[in-house]
Amino acid sequence: MLDQDVRLTEDAVRKIVREEVERAFKKDPAKKRMSLISSKGTLDWAYPPLILATAGAATGMDVAIFFTFYGLTVIHRDFEKLLKVSPVANPGMPMPVPMPDIVTALPGMTSFATGMMKSKFSKKGVASIRELIDVAIESDVRLIACQMTMDVFGYEEKDFLDGVEFGGAAAFMSEARKSHVTLFI
Amino acid sequence: MLDQDVRLTEDAVRKIVREEVERAFKKDPAKKRMSLISSKGTLDWAYPPLILATAGAATGMDVAIFFTFYGLTVIHRDFEKLLKVSPVANPGMPMPVPMPDIVTALPGMTSFATGMMKSKFSKKGVASIRELIDVAIESDVRLIACQMTMDVFGYEEKDFLDGVEFGGAAAFMSEARKSHVTLFI
Amino acid sequence: MLDQDVRLTEDAVRKIVREEVERAFKKDPAKKRMSLISSKGTLDWAYPPLILATAGAATGMDVAIFFTFYGLTVIHRDFEKLLKVSPVANPGMPMPVPMPDIVTALPGMTSFATGMMKSKFSKKGVASIRELIDVAIESDVRLIACQMTMDVFGYEEKDFLDGVEFGGAAAFMSEARKSHVTLFI
């Protein structure tokens, strides 16, 4: 430690500055912020934003999810009825037997795939969408519904879960520009 | 304020440094940059990169969009004919009545869904893709076409809108590594 | 350069600090890190994470890819058989002639589209998925399989390529919060 009476040289000052700057970068505020866009309205793509958001919040991050386009379905009051998964055009989806799209497109196949996914997730102890939403709200994850797409798709504020906020692309951007983790899901 | 004749102690220097560093983080240059990848070639997924880019540019951000894979369609001269939306395998899409994929896959359903989306967006006063592209170009948003996928899909430079630049993944990366907001759409 | 005997004024100290801070922001460690999520299990969407990761690693960045949901297919031992591309519900995909989804959904169309894409990429000199994975491993790109979705889809550690690590969403997050480039693909 330097004594109050000792003159600081430029070198000493630079050394102090480097220490302080290194410390500052270690606690860069952008490291503590996550801004997600949830844009898909299917059961499978409802999981990633909620799982990532709650995992981030659990480590003390400030998290916001902006729900836009089909993603509005995830925070709709009736999300449990509305969120389905289609096996069509998804050759990466594990099905009991391989099926061409003309079969996966038949009536009933979306219900079948939706039921299969829900049961697989629940058997393996993964939280349900309802549980993930509850945890997100309890951990102060901001759930923001995109006003522009609400208007286009004919949704009203009362159609959404309690705790949902309403805002535009600018609201998302003002969070995202301060965040290291920004993902469009 | 310290006088020119007063010696600065280490504590005084650290205080100055912390003030300067806090100020510097507030104007972190990464906060002013947005780098987007537009990879989908459908009407619905053409909106998000253009809406986010123009919203960012409106607040003074430096924005670049890298169009790759099917996203090349968005900046193709014939984008108005090429951009369509398919209702197949998208149970999150609001349709007049629920339909299984075997119905949404019928000839004519893509045109129907495309017309419905265009009319809904226009009725609600959302800018068209053409208007969004014009605003993007006027606000100096960089539109970069991926040379590798142009080559693979058989596109030439003359197939794209005026103002489009051409570059590879490295061009995107050199922008993105300086940006807080990076999204793959 | 200031002499050791000359007293530093506050102004001189602030000047030094600003120089050091500017230098520090130029080598912000977040600029050197890329954290990707690969979530799709189709041939087309296997390319972007691997192309971006290897391009980043080539410029000296520290890169991690987190494979989750259908993306686990990309690092499965049998990825060459499993990765296919479906032309259904993708009106942006260049096909020899335009086809409605009821045609693209027919048996054989996924194989046809998969073969067409592989041949186009190979003719244009684009590296294959196997080559990209090899380059990724050689350049120390971390390939992390999501344990939660492995469990849900019934995969075991032995099902994956050598060199793959295993971790949860928290493992991804601890990388991503230090990275400027974060993309969900």
Side-chain angles (χ1 to χ4, degrees):
Chain A
M1 271 292 165
L2 293 166
D3 187 276
Q4 187 156 359
D5 284 313
V6 175
R7 288 169 192 168
L8 288 176
T9 62
E10 181 176 343
D11 279 356
V13 168
R14 285 204 189 270
K15 192 168 159 294
I16 293 173
V17 173
R18 281 172 194 156
E19 280 167 28
E20 290 290 333
V21 168
E22 201 185 331
R23 196 172 299 167
F25 269 98
K26 276 196 190 126
K27 44 179 194 180
D28 182 350
K31 281 187 182 172
K32 287 203 56 186
R33 284 185 176 273
M34 190 191 321
S35 301
L36 308 178
I37 295 183
S38 168
S39 69
K40 311 289 189 301
T42 54
L43 178 63
D44 42 359
W45 299 121
Y47 282 103
L50 293 171
I51 289 173
L52 292 166
T54 51
T59 65
M61 294 177 82
D62 290 326
V63 185
I65 316 178
F66 187 69
F67 294 86
T68 189
F69 278 76
Y70 316 119
L72 287 171
T73 311
V74 179
I75 47 170
H76 191 283
R77 286 198 185 280
D78 295 331
F79 70 87
E80 278 176 324
K81 263 185 293 177
L82 296 169
L83 290 175
K84 292 169 193 164
V85 60
S86 168
V88 174
N90 187 359
M93 184 173 185
M95 292 292 279
V97 294
M99 302 174 185
D101 284 327
I102 196 78
V103 173
T104 57
L106 289 175
M109 288 306 289
T110 291
S111 300
F112 169 73
T114 303
M116 190 180 79
M117 177 163 276
K118 279 188 185 169
S119 124
K120 272 192 178 183
F121 274 65
S122 142
K123 261 186 221 159
K124 295 299 178 177
V126 178
S128 68
I129 298 296
R130 177 167 296 279
E131 287 164 333
L132 288 167
I133 289 177
D134 286 346
V135 172
I137 290 175
E138 280 160 29
S139 13
D140 294 323
V141 171
R142 291 178 61 195
L143 307 177
I144 307 170
C146 170
Q147 277 169 327
M148 189 200 83
T149 42
M150 277 172 62
D151 198 30
V152 168
F153 290 162
Y155 291 128
E156 293 175 59
E157 296 202 357
K158 67 175 173 48
D159 295 329
F160 294 95
L161 296 170
D162 295 338
V164 166
E165 299 170 53
F166 303 91
F172 167 75
M173 206 61 71
S174 78
E175 285 296 311
R177 63 197 297 171
K178 294 177 284 186
S179 310
H180 271 178
V181 183
T182 58
L183 303 169
F184 186 95
I185 300 167
Chain B
M1 272 293 166
L2 293 165
D3 185 274
Q4 188 155 357
D5 285 313
V6 175
R7 288 170 192 166
L8 288 176
T9 61
E10 182 178 340
D11 280 355
V13 168
R14 287 205 188 267
K15 191 167 162 294
I16 294 172
V17 173
R18 282 173 194 157
E19 279 167 29
E20 290 290 334
V21 169
E22 201 185 330
R23 197 173 298 167
F25 270 98
K26 277 197 188 124
K27 45 181 193 178
D28 181 351
K31 282 188 183 172
K32 288 202 55 188
R33 283 184 177 276
M34 191 192 320
S35 301
L36 308 178
I37 295 183
S38 168
S39 69
K40 311 289 189 299
T42 54
L43 178 64
D44 43 358
W45 299 122
Y47 283 103
L50 294 171
I51 289 173
L52 291 167
T54 52
T59 65
M61 294 176 82
D62 289 327
V63 185
I65 316 179
F66 187 70
F67 295 86
T68 188
F69 279 76
Y70 316 118
L72 287 170
T73 311
V74 179
I75 47 170
H76 192 283
R77 286 197 186 281
D78 296 331
F79 71 88
E80 278 176 325
K81 260 184 296 178
L82 296 169
L83 290 176
K84 290 169 193 164
V85 60
S86 167
V88 175
N90 187 358
M93 184 172 186
M95 293 292 277
V97 292
M99 302 174 185
D101 284 328
I102 197 77
V103 173
T104 57
L106 289 175
M109 288 306 288
T110 290
S111 302
F112 169 74
T114 303
M116 190 179 77
M117 176 164 275
K118 280 187 185 170
S119 125
K120 273 192 179 183
F121 272 67
S122 144
K123 261 187 222 159
K124 295 298 178 176
V126 178
S128 69
I129 297 296
R130 177 166 297 279
E131 287 164 334
L132 288 168
I133 289 177
D134 287 347
V135 172
I137 290 174
E138 280 160 28
S139 15
D140 293 322
V141 171
R142 292 178 60 195
L143 307 176
I144 308 168
C146 170
Q147 278 169 326
M148 189 200 84
T149 43
M150 276 172 62
D151 199 29
V152 168
F153 290 162
Y155 291 128
E156 293 176 58
E157 296 202 358
K158 67 173 172 50
D159 295 329
F160 294 94
L161 296 170
D162 294 340
V164 166
E165 300 169 52
F166 303 91
F172 166 75
M173 205 61 69
S174 78
E175 285 295 313
R177 63 197 297 170
K178 293 178 283 187
S179 309
H180 272 178
V181 183
T182 58
L183 303 169
F184 186 95
I185 299 167
Chain C
M1 272 293 164
L2 293 166
D3 186 273
Q4 189 157 358
D5 284 313
V6 175
R7 289 172 191 165
L8 288 176
T9 61
E10 183 177 339
D11 279 356
V13 168
R14 286 203 188 269
K15 191 167 163 293
I16 294 173
V17 174
R18 281 172 194 157
E19 279 168 30
E20 290 291 332
V21 169
E22 200 184 333
R23 197 173 298 166
F25 269 99
K26 275 195 189 126
K27 45 179 194 179
D28 181 350
K31 281 188 182 172
K32 289 201 55 189
R33 283 183 176 275
M34 191 192 319
S35 301
L36 308 178
I37 295 183
S38 168
S39 69
K40 311 288 189 303
T42 55
L43 178 64
D44 43 358
W45 299 123
Y47 282 103
L50 293 171
I51 289 173
L52 292 166
T54 52
T59 65
M61 293 176 83
D62 290 326
V63 185
I65 316 179
F66 187 70
F67 295 87
T68 188
F69 278 78
Y70 316 119
L72 287 170
T73 310
V74 179
I75 48 170
H76 191 283
R77 286 199 185 279
D78 296 331
F79 69 88
E80 278 176 325
K81 262 185 294 176
L82 295 170
L83 290 175
K84 291 169 192 163
V85 60
S86 167
V88 174
N90 187 0
M93 183 172 187
M95 293 290 280
V97 292
M99 301 174 185
D101 284 327
I102 197 78
V103 173
T104 57
L106 289 174
M109 288 306 289
T110 291
S111 300
F112 169 74
T114 303
M116 189 180 79
M117 176 163 276
K118 280 188 184 169
S119 125
K120 273 192 176 180
F121 273 66
S122 143
K123 261 187 220 157
K124 296 298 179 177
V126 179
S128 68
I129 298 295
R130 176 166 298 280
E131 287 164 334
L132 288 167
I133 289 176
D134 286 348
V135 173
I137 290 174
E138 280 160 28
S139 9
D140 293 322
V141 171
R142 292 178 60 194
L143 308 176
I144 307 169
C146 169
Q147 278 169 326
M148 189 201 83
T149 42
M150 277 172 62
D151 199 30
V152 168
F153 291 163
Y155 291 129
E156 293 176 57
E157 295 201 0
K158 67 175 174 47
D159 296 328
F160 294 95
L161 296 170
D162 295 339
V164 167
E165 299 169 53
F166 303 91
F172 166 75
M173 205 61 69
S174 78
E175 284 297 311
R177 61 196 298 170
K178 293 178 283 187
S179 309
H180 271 178
V181 184
T182 58
L183 302 169
F184 186 95
I185 301 166

